[in-house]
Amino acid sequence: DVKVTQSSRYLVKRTGEKVFLECVQDMDHENMFWYRQDPGLGLRLIYFSYDVKMKEKGDIPEGYSVSREKKERFSLILESASTNQTSMYLCASQLGHRDEQYFGPGTRLTVT
Amino acid sequence: AQTVTQSQPEMSVQEAETVTLSCTYDTSESDYYLFWYKQPPSRQMILVIRQEAYKQQNATENRFSVNFQKAAKSFSLKISDSQLGDAAMYFCAYRSAGDDKIIFGKGTRLHILP
């Protein structure tokens, strides 16, 4: 059974903190994605990766970076968290570009 | 650039009845995929149904079916015999055949009335 896990369901951080969101998939998928979900805006792509150590900017990469040192793990990094980064963050993985994306349960991040 | 539009932010339907969620998209490409994703209150997003643009036949998955109108760039989701477990946020999504990225609509929140 397909499984995508995210390290935290809820996270509260202070402005200026460095924040790591972890995503792990156990399906040997090539592609992994980070989205943020905001009411009325749907899902917006932050970054994605199609291979280890490879990354591509999505539609809203500003204020974020990513790391993919191993195939199964894709990390989203907020170098200096700001209140406008309060959001739901969803990770997804995909076997190949013709396949569906499988989503994790999401991390609700609050930056105060 | 491709766009996906869901014009209904919220909808309600009586249990056991049928409801249709609307979606339109804009693209200049001929080979692409369309999806409906469901996100229940517990938040894990799952794929409901998928349609390849080159297939004329509308996709069906049990109580879920689509009305794919390629010329009109319309992709609506019909849910028959609505159940309480169908209550969720539904996202329409588009992906070009040669691309990894999916473009999502803003979602429609569906309420099921008992």
Side-chain angles (χ1 to χ4, degrees):
Chain A
D1 206 13
V2 168
K3 197 163 185 183
V4 180
T5 57
Q6 294 183 229
S7 50
S8 305
R9 293 296 293 268
Y10 300 94
L11 207 53
V12 179
K13 295 292 182 181
R14 297 269 179 101
T15 301
E17 278 193 84
K18 190 169 185 176
V19 181
F20 292 87
L21 302 182
E22 303 285 334
C23 176
V24 177
Q25 51 95 1
D26 64 357
M27 301 161 285
D28 202 33
H29 282 181
E30 300 292 328
N31 302 337
M32 296 187 75
F33 304 80
W34 275 107
Y35 297 89
R36 65 177 282 176
Q37 181 181 5
D38 300 288
L41 296 178
L43 275 72
R44 293 179 292 166
L45 181 64
I46 304 171
Y47 267 98
F48 68 103
S49 168
Y50 52 87
D51 201 353
V52 175
K53 297 192 186 292
M54 305 299 286
K55 61 185 179 184
E56 293 282 345
K57 291 180 180 179
D59 300 316
I60 52 163
E62 295 78 19
Y64 303 94
S65 62
V66 290
S67 172
R68 194 165 180 204
E69 296 296 319
K70 293 185 177 181
K71 192 175 186 180
E72 67 270 19
R73 188 180 298 268
F74 191 35
S75 303
L76 180 69
I77 303 157
L78 287 67
E79 295 289 342
S80 178
S82 63
T83 55
N84 64 12
Q85 292 178 309
T86 291
S87 186
M88 173 70 76
Y89 290 88
L90 296 177
C91 174
S93 75
Q94 182 185 40
L95 177 61
H97 74 269
R98 287 192 175 267
D99 302 293
E100 70 174 275
Q101 290 189 13
Y102 293 87
F103 285 83
T107 296
R108 182 165 294 284
L109 172 67
T110 302
V111 182
T112 61
Chain B
Q2 296 91 354
T3 58
V4 177
T5 302
Q6 294 178 250
S7 58
Q8 306 147 314
E10 284 195 69
M11 294 187 71
S12 296
V13 64
Q14 210 73 37
E15 194 176 3
E17 298 199 341
T18 295
V19 63
T20 299
L21 281 58
S22 302
C23 174
T24 58
Y25 60 95
D26 189 25
T27 184
S28 58
E29 303 194 357
S30 58
D31 193 10
Y32 52 87
Y33 300 85
L34 295 164
F35 309 87
W36 278 99
Y37 278 88
K38 172 185 177 182
Q39 187 182 41
S42 62
R43 295 199 307 263
Q44 193 122 18
M45 188 100 70
I46 57 172
L47 180 68
V48 175
I49 201 162
R50 159 186 168 141
Q51 175 82 43
E52 288 89 347
Y54 61 86
K55 288 187 178 178
Q56 291 190 336
Q57 187 171 5
N58 289 323
T60 299
E61 287 288 339
N62 301 312
R63 296 182 296 107
F64 297 86
S65 61
V66 297
N67 184 3
F68 173 46
Q69 303 286 332
K70 192 171 183 178
K73 295 179 182 172
S74 170
F75 183 62
S76 60
L77 175 70
K78 185 171 85 170
I79 306 173
S80 304
D81 185 25
S82 298
Q83 300 175 359
L84 294 177
D86 295 333
M89 182 73 86
Y90 287 82
F91 291 96
C92 179
Y94 164 98
R95 178 164 61 78
S96 171
D99 204 350
D100 295 311
K101 297 193 294 183
I102 293 180
I103 299 166
F104 288 86
K106 295 183 179 180
T108 296
R109 184 168 297 282
L110 178 65
H111 303 276
I112 309 296
L113 307 173

